[in-house]
Amino acid sequence: MKAIFVCTHGNAAKELIHSAEMICGIQENTSFVSFDEGESAENLQTKIIAEVGKLDLAGGILFLTDLKGGTPFNVLVRLLANYRQTELVTGVNIPLLLEVFLGRETFTLAELAKQATDTGKLGIYQYVTPVEEIEEDF
């Protein structure tokens, strides 16, 4: 089973995983690290290495983060070379995480990263109230 690792600013990683698990059940071989206010990139890197070390990486690891160019992303980019099979996707959200959890045994690591990216984008939607509904309210 592919390892899933989420790293975000603040507690978002923990809460995203918790929310996704409410929908699809508790996930094995999954972990996270939070980047806390005032924390150094070096300390974050140390935390990531320690937490990833607890995962089974035989099937590879998919790293998910919140923001391209942010400290979690930058630290993960530097660490990718330390692991054999890796993918990194930014913009983590609940639909993306659900897709990853449900597809990690079906797809190759590269396919899983692509599915995650596609699903994450599709999970963003702007609801526009139809004009008829607006006019009826007045």
Side-chain angles (χ1 to χ4, degrees), residues 44-57:
L44 178 63
Q45 180 171 314
T46 300
K47 289 182 354 185
I48 290 171
I49 291 169
E51 200 60 35
V52 169
K54 298 175 185 177
L55 297 172
D56 176 0
L57 304 181

Side-chain angles (χ1 to χ4, degrees), residues 11-27 93-95 97-98 101:
N11 292 324
K14 176 183 178 182
E15 297 305 328
L16 284 166
I17 291 171
H18 176 74
S19 295
E21 287 180 334
M22 287 175 59
I23 298 166
C24 69
I26 302 300
Q27 297 295 304
N93 58 35
I94 294 172
L97 205 46
L98 288 171
F101 286 162

